[in-house]
Amino acid sequence: MRFAWIDLREVPRPQLQAVVDAAVHTRMAGVLAADAELLATLPPTVTRVLVPGGPATTAAKKPGAKEAKGDKEQQETRSATDAKPSAATGSSADAGIDVLLRTFTAQDQLDALAADNRATGATPVAGFIDVRDDRTLRLSCAGAMVLPYTVIHFADPTKIPLEIVLAAAESAEGKLVTVVGDLEEAAIVFDVLERGSDGILFTPRSADDVFALARLLEATTPQLELSTLTVESIRHVGLGDRVCVDTCSHFEEDEGILVGSYSSGFVLCCSETHPLPYMPTRPFRVNAGALHSYTLGPDNRTNYLSEVGSGSALLAVGADGRTRRVVVGRAKLESRPLLEIRTHAEDGRLVSLTVQDDWHVRVLGPGGKVLNVTELQTGDELLGYLATDKRHVGLPIGEFCKEV
């Protein structure tokens, strides 16, 4: 599970108490500070991370920022001091400290940190490293293998070094914490190599930043309870405009997107991952339906297919109800003959779908069975999703609304 530590050291003083309160209220995993007395006031539900002797991390810099003259020498001098064992190490837990964070810039300093962690009864010691070249990258990989937490600031905007550390530490028991400069970078860091950094270290400017970070951490896609729909009729309705949704992801064979004419019910439309006799597969595509149709996206939000375009986010849905977020690369609107499929759920609810009238367009049935729409017959079973909410501009709302 991904997590975040809040760095209090550069929070504006007028905002400090509000940020601390927000971190506790949102159940942030940890709070980092150089003030042991401040950390001691926090509840034990928060991991209290102490930086002995002042700041041990480098604030995240925007791409292209210059390093001040002498910064490197000062950092290395401070690093050597921070890496030395402290007399307070063994008693930090009693003082309300859960983790000590020390900087390492050389292998002998890393070895010292690892030795501290092997000491019986000692407070866990995390390591911080500033990665800016191949030597420090290799050292960060070594740290991630032996320390309970390795906090890394990457000097350059590329995420390739993070990918290398993630790959090197794949089997490690410790946690990797990446310093981020803003929430946009945090979202990217959590997606690197699909796994992402275990955690992030973030300096908020206000309590609002903490609450925004909490929303980011909670952004998951739900497990949907799919329903069995029974076909009532299929009808050729003539020419209209239909939308192909081309995503930036490779669909699994039992995946597609949910599409329906009514906001109360959707049919699981199959991706083009299955071979066709006259054209190659398009495993990124769903031939979704007529442009008026609803499709289900993240956060229980619907969009008309006419609104879907490059950069939109939708839900890929599997036959077992699992979901994941996918990004749309483009949507193709073309005029084609259309077919209306009318179905009903076990509770009698009508679920309708209008799709391109062609054999190669498919929907999914129970168990992920692939069904060509032009071969559907009365009584056939499809997979779908029944929504409990009415919709207004795509948002769920409790109001009277009848769709026919």
Side-chain angles (χ1 to χ4, degrees):
M1 176 180 290
R2 56 193 186 180
F3 64 88
W5 287 354
I6 300 298
D7 189 345
L8 299 180
R9 292 169 302 163
E10 295 185 15
V11 173
R13 183 154 293 278
Q15 302 292 332
L16 183 60
Q17 189 58 53
V19 167
V20 170
D21 292 342
V24 174
H25 178 75
T26 57
R27 296 184 179 273
M28 286 292 154
V31 169
L32 182 148
D35 184 347
E37 292 183 1
L38 172 60
L39 292 175
T41 66
L42 300 177
T45 54
V46 177
T47 298
R48 296 157 294 187
V49 185
L50 176 66
V51 183
T57 67
T58 302
K61 297 178 181 178
K62 294 295 181 183
K66 298 289 186 180
E67 186 175 15
K69 184 178 180 180
D71 281 356
K72 184 175 182 181
E73 291 81 358
Q74 292 175 7
Q75 179 185 334
E76 290 180 352
T77 301
R78 184 170 63 241
S79 298
T81 302
D82 291 340
K84 293 178 182 178
S86 166
T89 299
S91 60
S92 295
D94 296 333
I97 304 304
D98 301 303
V99 177
L100 292 170
L101 180 62
R102 299 186 184 281
T103 299
F104 64 99
T105 61
Q107 184 63 49
D108 60 339
Q109 296 172 356
L110 173 58
D111 293 341
L113 297 182
D116 286 346
N117 281 302
R118 290 193 295 268
T120 304
T123 300
V125 181
F128 170 82
I129 184 166
D130 185 31
V131 172
R132 53 185 59 251
D133 53 27
D134 182 63
R135 184 190 67 82
T136 49
L137 176 58
R138 286 187 281 108
L139 191 58
S140 70
C141 292
M145 292 298 296
V146 299
L147 297 177
Y149 297 98
T150 305
V151 182
I152 305 180
H153 170 254
F154 294 97
D156 296 314
T158 174
K159 295 300 179 281
I160 299 300
L162 175 57
E163 293 181 4
I164 293 171
V165 177
L166 286 171
E170 177 70 24
S171 60
E173 295 182 1
K175 301 296 185 183
L176 179 65
V177 182
T178 302
V179 179
V180 298
D182 52 40
L183 296 176
E184 182 177 357
E185 185 180 9
I188 296 171
V189 162
F190 279 134
D191 282 340
V192 172
L193 285 188
E194 298 184 51
R195 166 194 160 186
S197 181
D198 298 302
I200 61 167
L201 179 63
F202 174 61
T203 302
R205 309 310 297 173
S206 68
D208 289 341
D209 286 348
V210 179
F211 288 114
L213 176 58
R215 290 191 293 271
L216 174 64
L217 292 169
E218 294 170 357
T220 58
T221 60
Q223 175 75 25
L224 297 180
E225 184 178 349
L226 300 183
S227 299
T228 299
L229 309 175
T230 303
V231 174
E232 287 185 359
S233 65
I234 61 171
R235 183 166 64 103
H236 307 280
V237 294
L239 190 67
D241 295 331
R242 70 94 175 97
V243 178
C244 278
V245 179
D246 292 351
T247 73
C248 300
S249 297
H250 192 296
F251 284 99
E252 299 293 334
E253 291 188 350
D254 70 336
E255 281 186 318
I257 63 174
L258 290 165
V259 184
S261 291
Y262 310 142
S263 62
S264 57
F266 306 83
V267 175
L268 185 52
C269 293
C270 183
S271 55
E272 295 188 7
T273 51
H274 301 273
L276 293 164
Y278 304 110
M279 58 187 298
T281 59
R282 303 284 193 267
F284 52 82
R285 172 176 295 170
V286 177
N287 191 324
L291 83 166
H292 75 282
S293 307
Y294 290 102
T295 185
L296 189 63
D299 303 320
N300 195 25
R301 182 82 183 254
T302 60
N303 287 99
Y304 296 118
L305 287 179
S306 63
E307 298 171 334
V308 172
S310 179
S312 300
L314 299 178
L315 282 184
V317 181
D320 59 358
R322 71 186 187 280
T323 65
R324 61 188 174 103
R325 181 180 180 274
V326 293
V327 176
V328 176
R330 64 173 165 265
K332 290 177 51 180
L333 175 67
E334 297 168 309
S335 294
R336 295 289 187 270
L338 299 178
L339 182 73
E340 182 195 36
I341 305 168
R342 294 172 68 88
T343 73
H344 65 266
E346 290 182 359
D347 63 1
R349 190 183 317 184
L350 176 65
V351 177
S352 177
L353 173 67
T354 301
V355 295
Q356 181 177 344
D357 189 350
D358 194 277
W359 175 83
H360 83 275
V361 180
R362 297 161 170 179
V363 292
L364 290 173
K369 184 179 180 180
V370 179
L371 303 167
N372 300 81
V373 294
T374 55
E375 295 181 348
L376 291 175
Q377 297 181 2
T378 301
D380 284 348
E381 294 184 337
L382 313 181
L383 278 178
Y385 175 68
L386 304 178
T388 57
D389 304 303
K390 304 302 181 183
R391 300 282 167 171
H392 182 65
V393 293
L395 296 170
I397 186 172
E399 67 171 1
F400 174 77
C401 178
K402 184 177 180 180
E403 297 173 298
V404 296

